[in-house]
Amino acid sequence: MNKPLAGKKALILGLANDRSIAWGIAQALHDQGCKLAFNFLGENLEKRVRPLAESLGAEIIAPLDVSNDDQIASFFNTVKEKWGTFDILVHSIAFANKDDLGGRFVDTSRAGFKLALDVSAYSLVAVSREAEKLMPNGGTILTLTYYGAEKVIPNYNVMGVAKAALESCVKYLAADLGPNKIRVHAISAGPIKTLAAAGGISNFRDFLTTVAEKSPMRENVSPEDVGALAAFLCHDSAKHMTGSVIHVDSGYNIIGA
Ligand code: NAD
Ligand code: IMJ
């Protein structure tokens, strides 16, 4: 197979299991020739992440909770020691309190709002700052977003606000990092049954059904579809694109009713 990303080094943040969107992206980048590094959140996930990462020949597998500045510093120190520089950063991380993903948005607490925005939006800024120092030859930074940033989606609540902030962060980061030839994008994926999606969201199947019935392509999307776009965005073919929010949702976002 053609390996357009041969020799590139990619850091993947947010792998939890083999249904994660990060797994679809990791596989696509691996297929196209990238060397990979991964984080894991806590010992429980380490047990799942390590064998998956090793199956793709990962060169770094290290702990990172993005809400902790010390962990961010030590994680990127490890990357610096082992790799020196790298080319691609994938941020596939979101978290809000379960209580805040249901009921009325107006009831979101200050603490719940801070947590969701910290883990799901500010973390992109924090890791991009570290990545910039290790991307002297330019690079690509990708994050994952959802349509709930643009329109009100039942129960998405504070995560919608966090994704709106994340999408805006992408534009400000793209402006700051562009002169260093670092490109920044958000991929807005349609609903996919992952841990973060199925995790107690009672009507999640309804969202899959709606995309299957109403989207122009009448099909749901997969982590592999997201992986294919991620790989393209890292190619030289995309070298004059930055700051975009690109939908991979079978066109669902264009439908008004
Ligand atoms: P997932 O549960 O597989 O991935 C979410 C990841 O976030 C997990 O690996 C988890 O460990 C990590 N995470 C949470 N808090 C963290 C912290 N403090 N520090 C480090 N890591 C932390 O689910 P997914 O659906 O693959 O989610 C990945 C991204 O895709 C998220 O940003 C999500 O919002 C986005 N997204 C998902 C869908 C969907 O329908 N599944 C659609 C559009 C966008
Ligand atoms: C999440 C909640 C409500 C509706 C939702 C979702 N729809 C979709 C998602 C329609 C597609 C999944 N998504 C896009 C997310 O960003 C999920 C983020 C998330 C999920 C959980 C579940 C478990 C938990 N905290 C979470 N924090 C963020 O405790």
Side-chain angles (χ1 to χ4, degrees):
M1 188 207 175
N2 189 18
K3 305 236 182 234
L5 299 175
K8 300 264 187 215
K9 287 176 265 179
L11 179 47
I12 314 276
L13 304 179
L15 179 63
N17 58 37
D18 63 1
R19 300 216 296 217
S20 293
I21 293 175
W23 184 236
I25 297 175
Q27 287 177 304
L29 296 181
H30 176 260
D31 286 349
Q32 299 207 10
C34 286
K35 296 174 177 175
L36 300 177
F38 294 86
N39 83 310
F40 56 84
L41 176 66
E43 284 173 18
N44 278 347
L45 282 179
E46 180 177 8
K47 286 183 216 135
R48 293 194 175 275
V49 169
R50 200 168 275 285
L52 288 171
E54 283 170 354
S55 76
L56 299 184
E59 298 185 346
I60 304 168
I61 307 169
L64 174 59
D65 175 341
V66 292
S67 65
N68 182 315
D69 285 332
D70 293 340
Q71 286 194 30
I72 293 178
S74 83
F75 182 83
F76 279 90
N77 219 23
T78 302
V79 175
K80 187 179 177 183
E81 278 169 12
K82 296 224 169 125
W83 272 357
T85 65
F86 68 102
D87 309 283
I88 296 164
L89 174 68
V90 177
H91 172 280
S92 186
I93 289 173
F95 189 78
N97 282 328
K98 190 87 166 284
D99 291 353
D100 292 327
L101 298 173
R104 302 179 77 214
F105 168 70
V106 70
D107 291 329
T108 308
S109 66
R110 189 185 298 271
F113 190 98
K114 274 191 183 169
L115 174 69
L117 275 279
D118 182 27
V119 173
S120 314
Y122 177 73
S123 66
L124 178 71
V125 182
V127 297
S128 295
R129 186 161 60 243
E130 295 302 320
E132 183 185 25
K133 297 180 207 161
L134 303 181
M135 285 182 168
N137 307 315
T140 309
I141 298 177
L142 301 176
T143 188
L144 274 299
T145 186
Y146 177 60
Y147 190 51
E150 301 169 55
K151 300 286 177 188
V152 173
I153 300 286
N155 299 330
Y156 202 55
N157 295 9
V158 73
M159 271 309 307
V161 176
K163 291 300 193 189
L166 179 73
E167 292 180 10
S168 187
C169 288
V170 162
K171 295 172 195 166
Y172 281 90
L173 289 168
D176 274 356
L177 306 184
N180 296 334
K181 305 297 176 213
I182 298 170
R183 304 181 294 102
V184 190
H185 295 290
I187 298 177
S188 188
I192 300 176
K193 198 174 172 215
T194 63
L195 202 60
I201 299 145
S202 52
N203 58 345
F204 186 73
R205 284 191 63 83
D206 298 347
F207 290 97
L208 294 174
T209 306
T210 304
V211 172
E213 289 178 353
K214 303 234 163 86
S215 68
M217 312 305 301
R218 307 281 197 278
E219 260 180 340
N220 275 288
V221 304
S222 66
E224 291 68 36
D225 297 324
V226 179
L229 174 64
F232 164 74
L233 290 171
C234 299
H235 291 173
D236 266 0
S237 344
K239 73 175 191 280
H240 288 125
M241 293 175 67
T242 193
S244 323
V245 178
I246 303 153
H247 295 87
V248 185
D249 63 349
S250 299
Y252 182 74
N253 72 95
I254 68 164
I255 300 297

